Amino acid sequence: MRALTWHGTNDVRVDTHPDPEIINPRDAIIKITSTAICGSDLHLYDGVIPGLKSGDILGHEFMGEVVETGTRSTLQKGQRVVVPFTISCGQCFHCRKQQFSACDNGNPVEKQDASEMLYGHPMGGAFGYTHLTGGYAGGQAEYVRVPFSDVGPIVIPDGMEDDEVLFLSDILPTGWMAAENAQIEPGDTVAVWGAGPVGLFAVQSAKLMGAEQIICIDHHPNRLALAQKFGAKIINFEETHVREALMEMTGGIGPDAVIDAVGMEAHGFSPDNVLDVIKQKIAPGADRGHALRQALLACRKGGRVSVPGVYGGMLDKWPLGAMMEKGLQIRSGQTHVQKYTADLLARIQEGEIDTTFLISHRLSLEDAPTGYKNFRDQQNEWIKVVLKPGGVA
């Protein structure tokens, strides 16, 4: 089969690989019909996430048709499914609490030592990411093996297009959980850093959860325009002092809740970010946390901080004093995708949530390297890339 593989920093290629096979009774094989490039794939592309090996197949946002099942899979051949990026057994301590991204069994035991040393506990499993999360082959390919297929995939009703449901695999539940973690109350002001796909879904979700005023911060005009479409006010951080503007827009109090949808590769020329960029280039495992620092300082006293943006290593200049002295609550974590998919699918069917607005480019799988380069370098125009292994219609 053909698959998009990582060969080094800023070097991804479409290569030929053996087709995946059933290994365990709960496995299924999926023929991919749509797969997307995620913002967190760019962390791999840029080489700031450790633990990749040359030849690894990338991709954790995908869907397709079931073509083969193990003896204990609950799926049936011919069904269309969206597959969560988190690999979860459904039976361990964490899965029983619906903390699916913390599953103890998704990440094979032989892969757990490094992340346990880094974080105190091993990471959960994920498709197409690093060997810290199990080293599983991803879905930017013609076929993929799905472990625990009786727990993760959600069957899609006939009549729904791939574009409507593909993002149930990651970014829609991630934006929803980001808003949920912000503990939004009716009348709240919520500030969202980053108008990328997760930030835009966080804006939509915050609106549905009752936020009165949503403010989105970015520097790409096209992405800010999409946030405005969903009722957000906008701040271009290249033109406006962000914290001063937020104080003015909230009567001098600050946002009730802040959401960092930027993560470990913040942009801008502030002194702290310039230092972070240098550290990240010379020291793997260093994060660029300017957006998070700014969000912590902007949040009102007694407010809430939600962090869906991906961080993988160490961050200094952390304003711990602001967090303690203002009594901030902070929630973060990889998304417990399986917890949200059924509810969000229903909301899409009812027309409550729009997902198709996000897609700016559709490419064949063979054009994936071009998609990666432009998604990173032309973010104002390339907002979301969907790859079609079967060719673009």
Side-chain angles (χ1 to χ4, degrees), residues 53-133:
K53 297 179 181 177
S54 182
D56 283 348
I57 300 173
L58 304 185
H60 58 271
E61 297 180 5
F62 57 88
M63 65 175 297
E65 178 188 343
V66 180
V67 293
E68 192 173 353
T69 57
T71 55
R72 293 178 57 196
S73 174
T74 54
L75 298 176
Q76 299 174 11
K77 292 180 184 178
Q79 287 180 321
R80 292 172 63 232
V81 294
V82 173
V83 181
F85 77 90
T86 43
I87 299 174
S88 311
C89 74
Q91 299 172 347
C92 70
F93 172 87
H94 299 288
C95 285
R96 291 198 302 272
K97 289 181 174 292
Q98 293 195 305
Q99 297 172 338
F100 293 100
S101 68
C103 175
D104 279 331
N105 298 315
N107 192 348
V109 172
E110 66 270 19
K111 301 278 189 178
Q112 294 185 0
D113 289 350
S115 62
E116 184 173 8
M117 183 175 67
L118 280 171
Y119 304 135
H121 294 81
M123 296 175 71
F127 289 98
Y129 221 63
T130 160
H131 286 259
L132 296 174
T133 57

Side-chain angles (χ1 to χ4, degrees), residues 127-338:
F127 289 98
Y129 221 63
T130 160
H131 286 259
L132 296 174
T133 57
Y136 289 95
Q140 289 167 2
E142 291 181 303
Y143 297 91
V144 67
R145 179 179 77 91
V146 176
F148 303 122
S149 65
D150 53 326
V151 176
I154 183 167
V155 177
I156 301 304
D158 292 339
M160 298 192 77
E161 301 292 332
D162 281 17
D163 290 353
E164 295 178 276
V165 294
L166 171 62
F167 303 138
L168 287 167
S169 55
D170 177 359
I171 54 175
L172 175 55
T174 297
W176 186 267
M177 190 172 106
E180 186 177 84
N181 280 344
Q183 303 173 77
I184 296 166
E185 300 172 358
D188 272 355
T189 291
V190 179
V192 179
W193 272 255
V198 168
L200 291 168
F201 280 134
V203 166
Q204 270 200 78
S205 302
K207 190 76 174 176
L208 290 168
M209 292 181 190
E212 181 172 311
Q213 178 177 229
I214 303 168
I215 304 165
C216 192
I217 300 127
D218 204 296
H219 65 146
H220 295 298
N222 286 343
R223 294 184 176 215
L224 288 170
L226 289 174
Q228 281 182 305
K229 175 183 172 183
F230 294 106
K233 298 176 181 177
I234 60 172
I235 296 174
N236 185 327
F237 67 77
E238 290 184 339
E239 300 172 350
T240 306
H241 188 285
V242 173
R243 190 144 55 90
E244 288 180 359
L246 288 171
M247 290 297 281
E248 185 175 334
M249 297 164 82
T250 57
I253 293 176
D256 300 287
V258 296
I259 297 174
D260 169 16
V262 174
M264 63 190 295
E265 291 190 88
H267 296 279
F269 296 98
S270 61
D272 65 323
N273 201 49
V274 171
L275 286 172
D276 285 345
V277 170
I278 295 170
K279 286 182 178 179
Q280 200 172 60
K281 287 186 179 300
I282 62 176
D287 289 338
R288 286 155 39 190
H290 175 71
L292 180 55
R293 296 188 193 100
Q294 195 172 61
L296 286 165
L297 295 178
C299 191
R300 73 161 169 82
K301 291 182 282 188
R304 289 92 61 190
V305 181
S306 169
V307 187
V310 172
Y311 291 89
M314 303 297 175
L315 177 65
D316 58 14
K317 303 177 289 299
W318 170 261
L320 183 60
M323 196 174 141
M324 189 275 169
E325 298 297 343
K326 295 201 294 182
L328 302 179
Q329 301 176 53
I330 184 166
R331 290 187 175 186
S332 186
Q334 294 287 356
T335 307
H336 308 305
V337 180
Q338 292 89 335

